[in-house]
Amino acid sequence: MINKWMIFLCVQLSLWTPSVLADQGVKALTVTQSVDGQNEYSVTLEILILMTALSFIPAMVIMLTSFTRIIVVLAILRQAIGLQQTPSNQIMIGLSLFLSFFIMSPVLEEVYNKAAKPYIDNQYNVMEAFDEAKKPFSKFMLHQTRLKDINTFANLAGYTHIETPAQTPMTILIPAFITSELKTAFQIGFMLFLPFLVLDLVVASILMAMGMMMLSPMIVSLPFKIMLFVLVDGWNLVIGTLAKSFGL
């Protein structure tokens, strides 16, 4: 009997709640047109858009910042030294994130001053703030992107009327930027790999000359590679080179 009454109350509550909300005038979406002809959205919809945008933050950090170049170079460096799990992935990702924030700080400050702060002060609506926020990121990505990569994706997309790189749409600029970042990261990684490769070859030649065929050259060369990296202050050189490669 109790279960029947509970079911009856739940059904009545589910039927009563929408009618009450409708009587109170709760609207999920309100679109009004301003004097200049632009659409303005309700606060409820703006909050929904902002919450949806938060789910894209990891992708934005990877695709629109210096994170990709840094993490690829650090991964190649760890492979060149011969350390499989040291530093760990968590340390490498954390270092890449904070170094990315350091490199992107001028861009983020410009986004805050030109987009976020005017939006908080009700000077811009959501779309105007979004358009202003794209400009600093576009400027940063254009500075790091090769013209050849932009032309490649523009031709693939069928764009033939892009007069200047500054007019490149984001749908073309983002993949071109990622392609350029990967190429630059592999170039830096190749230069980092060479001295460790030479050391591996020297150790392997010495072991072969001594007739020690059963001893792995990687095991013998690993302490020497770590010692070489520490003596030349490798972390300072790598991080400094990465920062300078972005024009800092």
Side-chain angles (χ1 to χ4, degrees):
M1 181 65 66
I2 296 177
N3 292 334
K4 293 181 179 179
W5 278 106
M6 293 295 294
I7 295 173
F8 176 76
L9 290 176
C10 291
V11 172
Q12 293 298 321
L13 182 62
S14 63
L15 295 175
W16 174 76
T17 302
S19 62
V20 172
L21 293 178
D23 294 337
Q24 293 178 353
V26 178
K27 297 180 180 180
L29 171 60
T30 301
V31 181
T32 58
Q33 194 169 18
S34 61
V35 179
D36 55 358
Q38 295 183 352
N39 293 329
E40 295 182 357
Y41 302 95
S42 62
V43 177
T44 305
L45 182 61
E46 291 180 0
I47 294 175
L48 178 62
I49 293 174
L50 291 176
M51 294 300 294
T52 305
L54 291 177
S55 62
F56 290 97
I57 288 181
M60 293 174 61
V61 170
I62 296 175
M63 299 299 174
L64 305 182
T65 67
S66 58
F67 180 84
T68 301
R69 184 187 303 186
I70 297 171
I71 192 65
V72 171
V73 170
L74 293 181
I76 294 176
L77 175 63
R78 185 174 67 177
Q79 185 69 26
I81 296 176
L83 300 172
Q84 300 299 324
Q85 298 296 332
T86 305
S88 62
N89 292 332
Q90 291 83 354
I91 295 177
M92 293 181 61
I93 293 175
L95 178 60
S96 301
L97 282 175
F98 281 100
L99 189 56
S100 298
F101 286 137
F102 172 76
I103 294 172
M104 299 295 297
S105 57
V107 178
L108 297 177
E109 184 177 357
E110 186 176 356
V111 170
Y112 175 78
N113 293 330
K114 294 185 177 181
K117 192 174 185 300
Y119 174 75
I120 295 173
D121 297 336
N122 294 324
Q123 299 177 7
Y124 289 158
N125 57 32
V126 175
M127 300 308 299
E128 291 174 341
F130 179 74
D131 291 336
E132 290 295 325
K134 289 193 302 183
K135 295 178 182 179
F137 282 100
S138 298
K139 182 180 178 181
F140 170 79
M141 289 189 291
L142 281 172
H143 185 68
Q144 307 297 329
T145 306
R146 295 173 175 82
L147 184 60
K148 179 180 178 181
D149 295 327
I150 295 178
N151 292 332
T152 299
F153 285 97
N155 293 331
L156 290 174
Y159 282 86
T160 58
H161 58 278
I162 300 178
E163 298 179 358
T164 60
Q167 297 178 352
T168 306
M170 295 294 287
T171 54
I172 294 176
L173 181 58
I174 292 177
F177 170 72
I178 294 299
T179 304
S180 295
E181 286 294 282
L182 290 175
K183 182 176 180 180
T184 304
F186 274 81
Q187 289 176 344
I188 299 175
F190 173 76
M191 299 303 296
L192 291 174
F193 213 107
L194 281 180
F196 299 108
L197 179 61
V198 171
L199 187 57
D200 284 333
L201 292 175
V202 171
V203 172
S205 300
I206 294 176
L207 292 178
M208 186 176 297
M210 296 176 62
M212 304 175 67
M213 302 294 184
M214 302 302 295
L215 186 60
S216 174
M218 296 293 295
I219 298 177
V220 179
S221 63
L222 179 59
F224 294 100
K225 289 190 288 187
I226 295 176
M227 181 182 65
L228 174 65
F229 190 72
V230 172
L231 289 177
V232 300
D233 198 6
W235 287 113
N236 189 16
L237 291 175
V238 171
I239 293 176
T241 301
L242 285 172
K244 291 179 182 178
S245 66
F246 290 97
L248 297 182

